[in-house]
Amino acid sequence: MSEFANIPMRTIGPVRIKGVLDEDIHVPLATLETPLWPSVSRGALISRLAGGITTTMIDSRMTRSIILEAPDAASAYRAAEEICRERELLEQAVSESSRFARLLDVNYQIVSNLIYLRLEFFTGDAAGHNMATKCADSIFSIILEHHSELSYCSISGNYCCDKKVSAVNGILGRGRNVIAEITISEDICREYLHTTPAAMADINTKKNLIGSILAGSIRSANAHYANMLLAFYLATGQDCANIVEGSQGITFAEVKDGALRFSCTIPNIIAGTVGNGKTAEFAAENLKKLGCTEDRAPGENSNRLAAICAATVLCGELSLLAAEANQGELMKAHLRIERRTR
């Protein structure tokens, strides 16, 4: 019996996805919020009626930040600049630590005499937390070997930024950055979402954009990305704590030539097809059904998984906003599906 045996799981769809893949996909979602299944299913229906959700992979990387201590600020600055120029040395440390990892970029911030070094890696089909930490540990050792003026402070400096809300992940990237978009005719909006493109664009502006500004949200303007992410992460054996940064994203809606152009930009989807959690029976089975265990180039299976995840998020986001555009619809759905008669 799996750890998640008591969390109900259902398959919704199919969701029609284009771009990173071009297929109709049935998606497993594990959740205790039972209205999520019919809501995402409505979005999946729209995806088929409207010709599909187009997914675009913008970026992919995993990060780990380390903290080095220098005698003073001037020494810290000199050392940070030198470290960034010692690219071959850092790449050698990475290659000796992992078969799959590759150093992509190095960024730093200095506070007093402390160097916060943000290391960014390609990690193949793994989400890459442990791989990035292992590589960072090797980089730490080689830096200290070549810079005797520096000393160890921490292997993780929160500038990564792992499982916390931040601006840096949206700006510099952490995980897979995917954009999912769809164009829906007014007829489909009226018949299946019971609203109009203009009303959808309006509620997105007033709720997701203005409301999020009032709340002080950080690089985030969406209704409920976290709901779909958690259900998808649970079903596919991911580290579910990563919905913290994963739920940061922006929903965009506009009327174009009378139709609704709707998109979800999700810059921090942290999900992999190999590694811890993926060997659990239910997760392995679901990953196989999603076509994410095929013999592909390193990283391609996880790119596919992230694209499916992004399309699923769009389905749920679209359906919820449509429900909220109609007074009373959201509560009626919850009462009908969740409330038990005693």
Side-chain angles (χ1 to χ4, degrees):
M1 182 175 294
S2 75
E3 305 96 303
F4 303 126
N6 293 324
I7 298 180
M9 183 168 64
R10 293 185 187 177
T11 299
I12 63 95
V15 181
R16 182 158 297 163
I17 307 174
K18 301 187 296 184
V20 176
L21 60 153
D22 191 2
E23 298 175 42
D24 286 5
I25 299 289
H26 288 87
V27 181
L29 296 175
T31 182
L32 293 170
E33 189 175 355
T34 51
L36 191 67
W37 294 313
S39 180
V40 178
S41 292
R42 177 164 71 158
L45 172 61
I46 299 298
S47 78
R48 302 193 298 275
L49 294 170
I53 298 168
T54 300
T55 55
T56 302
M57 181 71 58
I58 303 298
D59 188 45
S60 175
R61 63 192 60 222
M62 178 46 62
T63 66
R64 177 57 66 207
S65 68
I66 61 177
I67 309 176
L68 298 137
E69 190 164 358
D72 50 49
S75 300
Y77 176 64
R78 283 194 301 271
E81 286 288 289
E82 288 173 8
I83 289 167
C84 289
R85 289 193 293 267
E86 294 167 345
R87 187 62 180 254
E88 288 187 12
L89 198 64
L90 305 185
E91 290 175 351
Q92 178 186 341
V94 172
S95 65
E96 292 174 354
S97 300
S98 170
R99 291 178 297 156
F100 298 104
R102 187 172 73 249
L103 183 66
L104 297 177
D105 208 353
V106 179
N107 291 279
Y108 71 83
Q109 294 285 322
I110 295 174
V111 176
S112 186
N113 63 326
L114 300 174
I115 304 170
Y116 291 78
L117 202 65
R118 192 175 195 268
L119 306 164
E120 302 175 1
F121 306 96
F122 169 78
T123 57
D125 280 309
H129 296 92
N130 292 335
M131 192 184 298
T133 302
K134 188 171 185 289
C135 291
D137 198 53
S138 295
I139 286 175
F140 220 141
S141 296
I142 206 164
I143 288 175
L144 294 179
E145 182 182 332
H146 285 76
H147 293 271
S148 58
E149 77 278 18
L150 302 179
S151 60
Y152 174 90
C153 184
S154 176
I155 186 62
S156 180
N158 273 14
Y159 184 41
C160 310
C161 175
D162 184 27
K163 300 167 186 171
K164 290 169 280 292
V165 175
S166 71
V168 70
N169 287 342
I171 296 169
L172 296 181
R174 189 170 201 264
R176 282 170 166 82
N177 184 338
V178 186
I179 299 174
E181 53 190 345
I182 190 171
T183 299
I184 307 166
S185 70
E186 182 168 358
D187 288 343
I188 293 175
C189 277
R190 287 184 180 275
E191 184 171 355
Y192 295 95
L193 295 176
H194 316 300
T195 187
T196 65
M200 288 290 286
D202 185 64
I203 194 171
N204 183 65
T205 298
K206 293 174 180 175
K207 169 195 166 67
N208 281 344
L209 302 183
I210 298 175
S212 295
I213 291 170
L214 289 177
S217 296
I218 299 175
R219 294 188 65 88
S220 192
N222 67 77
H224 71 145
Y225 287 9
N227 270 329
M228 286 74 71
L229 284 170
L230 178 58
F232 189 86
Y233 280 15
L234 280 171
T236 58
Q238 309 303 322
D239 186 339
C240 294
N242 284 125
I243 66 167
V244 176
E245 61 261 60
S247 65
Q248 291 180 274
I250 297 172
T251 299
F252 182 85
E254 66 175 349
V255 179
K256 190 170 184 180
D257 299 326
L260 172 65
R261 182 176 175 273
F262 190 88
S263 70
C264 295
T265 298
I266 317 170
N268 306 313
I269 296 177
I270 299 176
T273 57
V274 296
N276 189 39
K278 316 309 179 295
T279 56
E281 184 178 349
F282 72 95
E285 182 180 346
N286 286 335
L287 289 170
K288 184 176 181 180
K289 287 179 179 178
L290 290 170
C292 294
T293 59
E294 302 297 318
D295 185 14
R296 297 188 174 100
E300 291 302 311
N301 278 324
S302 287
N303 286 348
R304 176 187 174 94
L305 184 70
I308 295 170
C309 181
T312 304
V313 168
L314 184 146
C315 288
E317 184 80 353
L318 177 72
S319 186
L320 177 63
L321 282 177
E324 292 183 345
N326 297 297
Q327 185 176 0
E329 180 180 322
L330 179 64
M331 197 64 247
K332 286 176 184 176
H334 276 267
L335 289 171
R336 184 178 70 252
I337 297 168
E338 288 189 310
R339 186 66 59 88
R340 296 179 179 178
T341 303
R342 295 186 182 275

